[in-house]
Amino acid sequence: MSIRLRDLIRAVRQCKTAAEERTVISKESAALRNAFKNQDTSYRHRNVAKLMFIHMLGYPTHFGQMETLKLIAATGFPEKRIGYLGLMILLDERQEVLMLVTNSLKQDLESRNQHICGLALTALGNICSTEMARDLSPEVERLLGNGSNAYVRKKAALCATRIMRKVPDTIEAYEPLAAALLSDRHHGVLLSGVCLMLEVCEVHPPAVETYRKQVPQLCKILRSLLMSGSTLSGEHDVGGVTDPFLQAKVLRLLKVLGAGNSEASDQMSDILAQVATSTEGNRNAGNAILYEAVQTIMGVEAIGGLRVLAINILGRFLANKDNNIRYVALNTLARVVGVDTQAVQRHRATVVACVKDADVSIRRRALELVYALVNQSNIQALITELLDYLKVCDAEFKPDLTDKICQLVQRFAPEKRWHIDSLLQVMTQPGAVVKEEVVRALIVLISNAPDLHGYSARAFYSALKARPDAGFAL
C-alpha cells in the first residue's frame, strides 16, 4: 500500500541528494502502478494527487493518465475536483487520450451542481483542443446566456476566450453574448465579460464597430466604481482603490473602442478626465489605474487638454522613488513624444536628471527620450547637460552617450563653430570613443569652411596641449 501525500512530500524533503530523491520517487511510482493495476478505487483520488506531485518534480507520470479520466467520470464532487486538476496538470491538448474526456465534460456542463459545472468550464478553458472546442461550444454558449447563475457565467465567459482562439468561426455566436454581460451587477461576470469583449475585438476587428454602442455603458460602470461608497464591488477594493482590476480592463477596452473614432472618444473624455484627476497615485493599485488611463487617453482621439493631463501624470511617475514606475513612465513618454512634443518638453529637466540615474536601464531609456526631445531651440542647453554628465558617467555607459551626443550635434548644430567645439569636447573625454564616420564628417565640415581653418587649428592644438598624454578619442 502506498503512503499518504503528506508523507510522500515529507520523505522527498528529507532527501539529502538527488539519488535519494529518485529512490523515493521510484518506490512510490511502483506502488502507484500496483494500485492502478489492481483497480484500487478507495484511494484513487489520493493516488492521483501524489501523481501530480511527482509530475511537478519532473518525473514521468504517463502511466497514470487514465486514472484522471476515471475520477472525472465519478459522481462525487471531491473525486471530480482531483480528476479535473489532474487533467489540467498531467495532460495537454496535444495528447489523443484527451478526446476520451469529451463526453464526461459535456455531462458535467449540463450538471445542476454549479461547482461541478465550474470544474468542467475551468478544465475546458485551460486545455481544450480545436476538436473539443468545436464540439462543446454550444454548451458554453448556453451557460453564458444563463442569467440565473453568476458563478457559471463568469467561468463560461473565460472559457469562451479560449474557444474563440481555437475556433474563430464561433465568434459570431459569442459577440452579442459578451456585450450582454455588461448589464450584470456581479464583479466576476463584469470582469470576464470585458475580457471576452477584448478578445473578440482582437480576433475579429470588425466587432469594434459593433461594440462602440457599449461605450456609454462602460463609462457608466467606470463612473460607478469611482463614486465614493460604490456598492458595485466594495469587497474587491485594493489599497483604497475600488476594484482596480475591473477599472484597468474597462479602460483598456475603451482604448480599443475609441481608437480612430472621434464620436466614441468624445463620449469617454469626461470619465477619462475624472479617472485621471480623482485616482490617488500613492499606491500600486492607483498607479496601475493611472497608467491605463494614460494609455487610453493617448490611444483615442482625445482633445489636447486631456493629453496634457496624461503626460503630466507620467511626469509625476518620473518623480516616483520606485524604479519600475519611472521606467514605465520613460517608456510611455518615448512612445507619445511624437503626439504632443510640447507637453513632454515641460518635463525635460526631469528626463535629463534620469540620464544620471544609478539604474542603467533607466539611464538608457532616458537617453533615448532626450534624443527624441532635442530640437533647434534646446540643443545647446541639452548638449551642455549631457557633456557635463559624460565627464562622470560609468565607463560602460560612455559609448552610448557619446554616440547620441555626436548624432545630436551633427543633426541640430546651430552653427559650425559650436559644432566643432562640441565634438572636440567629446573627443577629449577619456573613454569616449567617437565613430570614424563622425570624425570624417567633422573633417569635411572644417575643410569646407576656410574661415574656420585657423580657429580649428588653434582649438585642436590647445586641446592636445592640455592633455598631451590622452590624445583624441579617435
Side-chain angles (χ1 to χ4, degrees), residues 371 374-376 379-380 383 386-387 401-424 426-427 433-446:
Y371 184 74
V374 173
N375 54 37
Q376 294 285 354
I379 177 68
Q380 291 177 300
I383 290 298
L386 294 177
L387 286 171
L401 185 56
T402 302
D403 187 41
K404 292 293 185 187
I405 291 174
C406 291
Q407 289 181 39
L408 291 171
V409 169
Q410 288 181 299
R411 186 177 174 189
F412 296 107
E415 57 178 359
K416 293 178 181 179
R417 180 175 289 196
W418 184 86
H419 187 152
I420 294 168
D421 289 342
S422 298
L423 288 184
L424 185 57
V426 174
M427 288 190 289
V433 180
V434 179
K435 292 182 178 179
E436 288 185 13
E437 54 266 30
V438 176
V439 178
R440 284 198 299 268
L442 179 60
I443 293 171
V444 171
L445 174 70
I446 295 172

Side-chain angles (χ1 to χ4, degrees), residues 167-431:
V167 189
D169 298 343
T170 59
I171 288 177
E172 291 183 6
Y174 290 114
E175 188 178 319
L177 292 173
L181 297 178
L182 295 182
S183 59
D184 203 289
R185 298 288 295 173
H186 188 273
H187 155 82
V189 176
L190 271 176
L191 183 57
S192 56
V194 173
C195 291
L196 184 56
M197 290 175 72
L198 280 167
E199 187 67 28
V200 171
C201 293
E202 183 179 342
V203 178
H204 186 59
V208 173
E209 189 61 40
T210 306
Y211 283 158
R212 284 197 174 115
K213 300 173 186 174
Q214 304 298 327
V215 169
Q217 178 65 17
L218 290 166
C219 293
K220 181 180 177 183
I221 292 169
L222 205 50
R223 192 170 288 108
S224 67
L225 290 170
L226 293 173
M227 287 172 58
S228 179
S230 170
T231 58
L232 179 63
S233 189
E235 63 187 274
H236 301 287
D237 289 6
V238 177
V241 180
T242 306
D243 205 344
F245 296 101
L246 181 56
Q247 285 195 57
K249 285 293 183 182
V250 170
L251 286 167
R252 199 170 296 178
L253 182 55
L254 288 174
K255 176 187 172 184
V256 173
L257 300 181
N261 187 280
S262 56
E263 184 181 350
S265 300
D266 288 343
Q267 289 177 331
M268 64 182 75
S269 60
D270 288 345
I271 190 63
L272 290 177
Q274 192 176 344
V275 171
T277 53
S278 64
T279 304
E280 295 292 333
N282 53 359
R283 303 269 183 143
N284 272 345
N287 285 327
I289 300 299
L290 289 172
Y291 174 71
E292 288 297 339
V294 169
Q295 293 281 71
T296 303
I297 291 168
M298 302 310 295
V300 303
E301 304 297 313
I303 57 175
L306 207 52
R307 286 198 181 121
V308 171
L309 179 60
I311 291 172
N312 287 342
I313 290 172
L314 295 176
R316 293 206 306 271
F317 281 1
L318 288 178
N320 199 295
K321 294 180 180 179
D322 190 329
N323 283 350
N324 293 320
I325 293 175
R326 294 165 70 199
Y327 183 83
V328 163
L330 289 168
N331 216 21
T332 310
L333 283 170
R335 290 202 305 270
V336 306
V337 67
V339 180
D340 196 337
T341 308
Q342 279 304 114
V344 182
Q345 288 282 4
R346 295 190 186 98
H347 305 282
R348 191 177 65 208
T350 312
V351 174
V352 172
C354 289
V355 176
K356 305 171 186 177
D357 194 84
D359 191 315
V360 65
S361 60
I362 289 179
R363 290 205 303 264
R364 293 189 189 282
R365 294 306 292 166
L367 184 58
E368 291 175 15
L369 183 53
V370 167
Y371 184 74
L373 288 175
V374 173
N375 54 37
Q376 294 285 354
S377 62
N378 61 26
I379 177 68
Q380 291 177 300
L382 283 175
I383 290 298
T384 302
E385 290 270 3
L386 294 177
L387 286 171
D388 288 342
Y389 179 58
L390 183 62
K391 298 174 184 177
V392 296
C393 71
D394 300 335
E396 64 270 16
F397 190 59
K398 275 193 176 181
D400 284 343
L401 185 56
T402 302
D403 187 41
K404 292 293 185 187
I405 291 174
C406 291
Q407 289 181 39
L408 291 171
V409 169
Q410 288 181 299
R411 186 177 174 189
F412 296 107
E415 57 178 359
K416 293 178 181 179
R417 180 175 289 196
W418 184 86
H419 187 152
I420 294 168
D421 289 342
S422 298
L423 288 184
L424 185 57
Q425 287 186 61
V426 174
M427 288 190 289
T428 53
Q429 292 299 323

